[in-house]
């Protein structure tokens, strides 16, 4: 034994071993292992630092540790089939591709609490440059650390500090490496399926896919989903629509007849409160109300205010909210339905339905018409008019804009010139944008104090919300002065959260808590929903509901029959409302129980519950989950299969012709002017051409 040790430590032997080790690391095999290690390391670290995956238990810990490896082996292993410089460059490029994907998701997840999808990336042109502005605002210097290994290796290779091994490894080893990656992927999926059955068939939550299978596998799964959505339309039939309608009929509830038609024939103003959360109602900073005008509106005796109303958006965010508000159809599990299907699909939307009841319809948005593909989608929805940014004077002035478009005070004031020309009754949707991330305002636009959470992303939120509230107050004052207030129904809703759950410490401070639980985060998804009309029997309504319920509730108030409509929501005023709120990821809440991030809570107390020893919870969860899964799945089928094109026998609705709508400025203004004589019911026509615009008062400093 001693002789062997002496022999092993002879200088010549030791040098040979060191040389063999050096030869390995300078070979393509060593370069492959080094890249594999760095891809795994930075992915695994960022899983814990930048993503909230809800890992629970040793199995999920193991899968999170394992899942970056299989696809990294497969992708980096491509280099092993080549030799010389090409092999090294390929290994480096495969590392780069995975790193770019990781980096992009770090930024996207930080603001949207979700992972990038091909649908969202494909809709980049529809959102203009604004998404890029938001992402640019949240980049941290530490995010670029994921590129450090690539930079070092590039320098080492470029300046030949790392000798290139021109020898190729044997093809069988390259093949075995690929097989190893595939085997590890199957092991990962097998273990994941045991812990989460039906992972790829029942899960609507991208966090589950990443947690169990990995970020790269999520990309592949999302590509498969996107491809399936494309195929769905080709394979769809009228029988598919019938199955959906059978499901809806089985789960329908009668409308509340005491409210049916009480607002029939009135104008409708839908005011889209951008990124506005329920907690802002009655919220104070330094003793001052953030939203005094909206607070008064919320508590008005003629306002129906729902205090258990939730946003239900997915990746499409605002566009998902519009899809639900206009159609009572959910947004998609991936991407934006308005962007992907708004141009091509058949819809039975509120503007078209009311248009066939004698209404004029118009949408107003202080940004480019292509944002979320609105210029095409609104034609499919049946809007007579769409007034986008180019309809507003001096709309490109830098001082008139912030974040995602025109400042609300300027936008709403300039909208008055078009509102007064709309033939009555009309349906008008006004989309505000100032209260949108990154929550910035010019100093002269607000004297309201910011919060002091220490989170710069969060602290400006109350300032832009206060600005929105002031703009809303100015609009209401104008409508009263113009004579439109008493003959109108006002529908106000927040489209989605403004502060994502990635800001937990700041949320805790806003809510006056030391920390926030997952139950608190579920409640943080609440947004306002108010319906106001002069003479309406109002009050605070505790019914659990969400954005999917807005359309059927409004239709009943207007006295419009919903018979035969493909709507996944229910009248919130119905005494038989099921009060099941489905979230886009498959979670849900009811007055009794809440499921959030695969955990169960008592909806009244917030107490976390175990489903294993609670028969009542288990029975309810099975029933509710079945309903939620079927609702989301059937709604997806309606959109991806364009099933409403088969709905041609409705007695109370006929499909619209998209080609009859023209949103070009010249033709829109010409048509609007012509309507003053052909349909002389507008405020402008009734006042014999005397404009009401001078009645609109605003304190916007840019207009002084």
């Amino acid at each position: 034994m001693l002789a062997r040790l002496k022999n092993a430590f002879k200088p010549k032997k030791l040098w040979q071993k060191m040389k063999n080790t050096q030869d390995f690391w300078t070979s393509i095999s060593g370069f492959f292992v080094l890249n594999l290690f760095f891809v795994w390391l930075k992915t695994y670290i960022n899983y814990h630092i930048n993503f909230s995956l809800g890992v629970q238990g040793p199995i999920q810990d193991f899968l999170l540790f394992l899942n970056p490896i299989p696809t990294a082996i497969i992708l980096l292993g491509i280099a092993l089939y080549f030799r010389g410089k090409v092999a090294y460059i390929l290994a480096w490029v495969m590392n780069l591709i995975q790193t770019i994907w990781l980096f992009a998701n770090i930024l996207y997840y930080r603001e949207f609490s979700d992972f990038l999808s091909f649908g969202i990336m494909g809709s980049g042109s529809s959102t203009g440059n604004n998404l890029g502005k938001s992402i640019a605002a949240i980049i941290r210097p530490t995010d670029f650390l994921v590129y450090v290994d690539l930079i070092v290796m590039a320098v080492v290779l470029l300046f030949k500090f790392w000798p290139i091994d021109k020898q190729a490894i044997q093809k069988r080893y390259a093949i075995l490496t690929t097989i190893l990656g595939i085997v590890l992927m199957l092991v990962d999926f097998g273990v994941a399926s045991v812990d989460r059955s039906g992972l790829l068939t029942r899960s609507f939550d991208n966090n589950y896919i990443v947690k169990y299978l990995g970020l790269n596998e999520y990309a592949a799964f999302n590509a498969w989903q996107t491809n399936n959505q494309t195929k769905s339309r080709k394979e769809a039939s009228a029988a598919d629509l019938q199955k959906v309608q059978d499901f809806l009929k089985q789960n329908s509830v009668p409308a509340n007849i005491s409210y049916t038609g009480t607002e029939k024939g009135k104008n409708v103003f839908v005011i889209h409160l951008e990124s506005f959360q329920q907690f802002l109602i009655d919220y104070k900073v330094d003793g001052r109300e953030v939203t005094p005008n909206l607070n008064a509106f919320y508590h008005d005796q003629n306002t129906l205010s729902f205090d258990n109303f939730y946003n239900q958006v997915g990746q499409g965010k605002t566009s998902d909210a519009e899809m639900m508000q206009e159609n009572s159809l959910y947004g998609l599990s991936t991407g934006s339905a308005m962007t992907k299907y708004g141009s091509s699909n058949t819809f039975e939307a509120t503007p078209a339905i009311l248009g066939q009841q004698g209404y004029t319809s118009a949408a107003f948005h202080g940004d480019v018409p292509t944002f979320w593909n609105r210029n095409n989608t609104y034609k499919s929805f049946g809007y007579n008019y769409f007034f986008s940014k180019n309809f507003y004077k001096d709309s490109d002035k830098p001082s008139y804009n912030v974040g995602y478009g025109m400042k609300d005070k300027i936008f709403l004031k300039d909208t008055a010139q078009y509102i007064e020309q709309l033939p009555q009754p009309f349906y008008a949707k006004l989309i505000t944008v100032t209260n949108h991330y990154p929550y910035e305002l010019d100093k002269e636009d607000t004297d309201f104090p910011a919060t002091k959470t220490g989170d710069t992303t969060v602290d400006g939120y109350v300032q832009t919300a206060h600005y929105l509230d002031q703009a809303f107050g100015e609009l209401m004052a104008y409508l009263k002065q113009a004579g439109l207030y008493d003959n109108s129904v006002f529908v106000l809703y927040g489209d989605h959260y403004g502060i994502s759950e990635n800001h937990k410490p700041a949320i805790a401070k806003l809510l006056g808590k030391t920390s926030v639980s997952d139950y608190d985060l579920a409640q943080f998804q609440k947004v306002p929903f108010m319906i106001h009309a002069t003479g309406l029997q109002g009050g605070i309504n505790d019914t659990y509901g969400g954005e999917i319920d807005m359309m059927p509730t409004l239709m009943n108030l207007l006295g419009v029959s919903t018979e035969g409509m493909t709507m996944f929501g229910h009248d919130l005023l119905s005494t038989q409302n099921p009060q099941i709120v489905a979230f886009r990821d498959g979670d849900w809440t009811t007055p009794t129980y809440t499921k959030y991030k695969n955990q169960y809570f008592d909806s009244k107390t917030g107490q976390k519950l175990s489903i294993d020893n609670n028969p009542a919870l288990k029975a309810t969860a099975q029933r509710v989950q079945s309903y939620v899964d079927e609702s989301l799945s059937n709604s997806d089928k309606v959109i991806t299969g364009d099933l409403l094109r088969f709905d041609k026998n409705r007695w109370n609705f006929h499909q619209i012709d998209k080609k009859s709508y023209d949103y070009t400025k010249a033709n829109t203004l010409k048509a609007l002017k012509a309507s003053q004589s052909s349909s002389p019911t507008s405020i402008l026509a009734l006042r014999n051409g005397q404009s009401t615009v001078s009645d609109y008062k605003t304190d916007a400093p840019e207009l002084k």
Side-chain angles (χ1 to χ4, degrees):
M1 178 64 72
L2 185 62
R4 288 183 179 179
L5 287 173
K6 287 181 178 179
N7 190 50
F9 283 99
K10 285 182 179 179
K12 187 175 181 181
K13 291 282 187 180
L14 185 61
W15 170 251
Q16 187 61 46
K17 288 186 177 182
M18 292 174 61
K19 188 174 184 302
N20 290 341
T21 302
Q22 182 182 11
D23 288 345
F24 172 79
W25 287 113
T26 56
S27 70
I28 185 56
S29 298
F31 195 67
F32 162 82
V33 171
L34 196 63
N35 277 275
L36 176 61
F37 171 75
F38 282 120
V39 168
W40 168 81
L41 181 64
K42 55 194 172 187
T43 304
Y44 184 69
I45 288 174
N46 281 284
Y47 276 168
H48 289 282
I49 293 176
N50 287 305
F51 305 133
S52 299
L53 300 178
V55 176
Q56 296 178 332
I59 292 178
Q60 293 183 16
D61 279 327
F62 167 73
L63 290 173
L64 203 69
F65 179 88
L66 172 67
N67 73 39
I69 298 175
T71 49
I73 288 176
I74 294 170
L75 292 173
L76 292 167
I78 294 172
L80 301 180
Y81 291 87
F82 296 85
R83 59 187 297 175
K85 289 183 181 179
V86 174
Y88 287 80
I89 293 171
L90 272 175
W92 186 89
V93 168
M94 290 302 167
N95 183 341
L96 176 64
I97 291 171
Q98 293 173 84
T99 302
I100 291 173
W101 177 239
L102 173 63
F103 180 78
N105 276 284
I106 289 170
L107 301 185
Y108 188 80
Y109 195 95
R110 184 170 295 149
E111 177 56 22
F112 299 107
S113 300
D114 202 352
F115 295 94
L116 274 169
S117 69
F118 288 100
I120 287 295
M121 290 187 287
S123 67
S125 60
S126 75
T127 58
N129 296 320
N130 297 308
L131 180 60
K133 291 177 183 177
S134 289
I135 296 299
I138 59 177
I139 292 179
R140 299 170 184 169
T142 53
D143 295 333
F144 293 97
L145 289 175
V146 296
Y147 292 106
V148 169
D149 64 306
L150 285 159
I151 294 171
V152 171
M153 284 189 283
V155 170
V156 167
L157 289 174
L158 188 63
F159 290 96
K160 298 181 180 179
F161 296 131
W162 194 309
I164 300 294
D165 183 6
K166 297 181 180 179
Q167 292 289 325
I169 71 166
Q170 295 182 33
K171 284 291 188 289
R172 60 176 178 172
Y173 292 124
I175 294 171
L176 285 172
T177 301
T178 302
I179 292 173
L180 174 62
I182 295 171
V183 169
L184 288 176
M185 187 183 295
L186 293 174
V187 169
D188 190 328
F189 182 73
V191 177
S193 297
V194 172
D195 194 62
R196 172 77 177 179
S197 61
L199 176 63
L200 299 182
T201 57
R202 295 194 299 109
S203 176
F204 294 97
D205 188 353
N206 294 328
N207 283 286
Y208 285 115
I209 306 300
V210 174
K211 175 172 67 175
Y212 283 108
L213 302 183
L215 193 59
N216 292 337
E217 286 79 352
Y218 159 73
F221 176 68
N222 183 253
W224 176 78
Q225 279 183 311
T226 304
N227 180 63
N228 279 354
Q229 289 172 353
T230 303
K231 289 168 55 179
S232 292
R233 191 181 195 281
K234 296 179 181 178
E235 299 172 355
S237 68
D240 296 320
L241 177 61
Q242 187 60 54
K243 291 177 183 177
V244 172
Q245 291 177 333
D246 288 344
F247 167 78
L248 294 175
K249 188 175 182 180
Q250 290 169 7
N251 292 280
S252 65
V253 298
N256 189 331
I257 59 173
S258 63
Y259 282 96
T260 300
T262 58
E263 311 310 315
K264 188 176 181 65
K266 288 187 176 181
N267 301 318
V268 179
F269 283 94
V270 176
I271 302 178
H272 178 109
L273 304 173
E274 176 61 46
S275 304
F276 198 97
Q277 293 179 241
Q278 177 69 17
F279 86 90
L280 286 170
I281 299 296
D282 295 330
Y283 193 79
K284 294 181 179 180
V285 177
D286 294 346
R288 294 177 60 185
E289 291 180 286
V290 178
T291 58
N293 294 300
L294 287 166
N295 294 346
F297 201 77
Y298 182 85
H299 294 291
D300 190 283
Q301 64 178 355
N302 295 139
T303 302
L304 280 164
S305 300
F306 296 85
D307 61 355
N308 287 311
F309 187 84
Y310 294 80
N311 90 76
Q312 298 171 283
V313 303
Q315 290 187 332
K317 295 298 184 292
T318 294
S319 66
D320 285 355
E322 287 195 68
M323 182 61 67
M324 288 183 278
Q325 179 257 318
E326 302 281 30
N327 298 275
S328 197
L329 294 172
Y330 292 99
L332 297 174
S333 59
T334 176
S336 163
M338 280 177 53
T339 298
K340 297 172 73 172
Y341 297 98
S343 305
S344 59
N345 271 24
T346 298
F347 292 98
E348 297 172 359
T350 300
I353 292 169
L354 293 183
Q356 294 174 30
Q357 303 285 327
Y359 276 72
T360 305
S361 57
F364 301 87
H365 179 49
D367 204 350
V368 293
T370 53
F371 198 97
W372 289 126
N373 195 33
R374 286 187 176 99
N375 58 324
N376 294 309
T377 302
Y378 284 171
K379 293 177 182 178
S380 300
F381 286 0
Y383 271 107
N384 298 116
Y385 304 105
F386 175 32
F387 299 93
S388 53
K389 191 172 185 177
N390 62 323
F391 283 82
Y392 296 87
K393 183 181 179 182
D394 297 326
S395 61
D396 286 327
K397 276 188 176 181
S399 62
Y400 279 30
N401 290 266
V402 65
Y404 276 53
M406 293 177 65
K407 295 176 181 176
D408 292 340
K409 289 183 181 180
I410 300 171
F411 161 66
L412 292 176
K413 183 184 186 305
D414 286 353
T415 295
Q417 63 181 305
Y418 301 121
I419 289 176
E420 69 173 2
Q421 298 182 64
L422 294 178
Q424 301 183 77
F426 58 73
Y427 174 83
K429 178 164 70 174
L430 286 66
I431 302 173
T432 64
V433 298
T434 304
N435 190 47
H436 195 295
Y437 179 83
Y439 313 120
E440 295 175 344
L441 269 179
D442 297 326
K443 289 183 179 180
E444 60 267 25
D445 285 317
T446 185
D447 62 353
F448 197 82
T451 53
K452 300 178 179 64
T453 68
D455 188 325
T456 55
T457 300
V458 171
D459 285 336
Y461 180 59
V462 293
Q463 294 180 311
T464 52
H466 183 71
Y467 180 90
L468 165 59
D469 179 78
Q470 291 178 313
F472 169 76
E474 293 172 353
L475 173 65
M476 292 299 105
Y478 159 72
L479 294 176
K480 289 175 182 178
Q481 189 69 24
L484 283 168
Y485 189 88
D486 289 333
N487 191 40
S488 298
V489 179
F490 296 91
V491 179
L492 279 64
Y493 75 100
D495 59 341
H496 53 75
Y497 61 79
I499 303 170
S500 77
E501 62 183 36
N502 293 316
H503 302 277
K504 292 179 184 177
I507 293 172
K509 290 181 180 179
L510 289 175
L511 300 180
K513 296 173 176 272
T514 55
S515 63
V516 289
S517 66
D518 284 332
Y519 173 78
D520 293 325
L521 294 175
Q523 301 313 300
F524 209 59
Q525 302 307 311
K526 289 182 181 181
V527 291
F529 179 50
M530 312 174 217
I531 303 176
H532 174 94
T534 301
L536 178 64
Q537 183 181 346
I540 307 298
N541 189 304
D542 298 326
T543 300
Y544 275 61
E547 291 159 332
I548 201 74
D549 302 310
M550 291 189 285
M551 180 182 178
T553 305
L554 176 62
M555 288 296 177
N556 184 49
L557 286 167
L558 296 176
V560 178
S561 172
T562 58
E563 183 181 348
M565 289 187 186
T566 304
M567 300 188 305
F568 286 85
H570 301 92
D571 177 10
L572 286 173
L573 300 170
S574 172
T575 57
Q576 298 181 40
N577 190 295
Q579 299 196 71
I580 298 173
V581 184
F583 298 125
R584 183 59 261 194
D585 60 6
D587 284 343
W588 44 263
T589 186
T590 72
T592 310
Y593 301 115
T594 293
K595 181 193 175 195
Y596 197 70
K597 295 188 175 180
N598 209 32
Q599 302 170 85
Y600 295 93
F601 303 90
D602 184 305
S603 293
K604 294 181 176 62
T605 67
Q607 179 185 358
K608 188 175 179 180
L609 303 172
S610 172
I611 195 170
D612 296 327
N613 56 6
N614 192 330
L617 169 58
K618 191 169 186 178
T620 300
Q622 289 176 342
R623 174 181 60 82
V624 173
Q625 193 67 63
S626 175
Y627 171 78
V628 168
D629 289 349
E630 284 193 72
S631 294
L632 294 171
S633 177
N634 279 312
S635 178
D636 286 350
K637 289 174 183 176
V638 171
I639 295 176
T640 60
D642 190 17
L643 297 186
L644 292 180
R645 63 193 155 121
F646 301 115
D647 192 17
K648 297 181 179 179
N649 299 315
R650 284 265 306 278
W651 66 270
N652 57 349
F653 180 78
H654 61 267
Q655 294 180 6
I656 63 168
D657 179 11
K658 303 170 197 174
K659 296 178 182 178
S660 63
Y661 299 96
D662 184 348
Y663 298 149
T664 58
K665 185 174 181 179
N667 289 335
T668 295
L669 296 180
K670 182 179 179 182
L672 195 60
K673 184 177 181 180
S675 72
Q676 303 310 300
S677 55
S678 62
S679 303
T681 59
S682 70
I683 287 295
L684 186 64
L686 293 175
R687 290 167 58 113
N688 297 317
Q690 182 181 353
S691 177
T692 63
V693 173
S694 60
D695 294 331
Y696 202 117
K697 307 300 180 185
T698 179
D699 65 0
E702 298 85 356
L703 300 179
K704 293 180 180 179

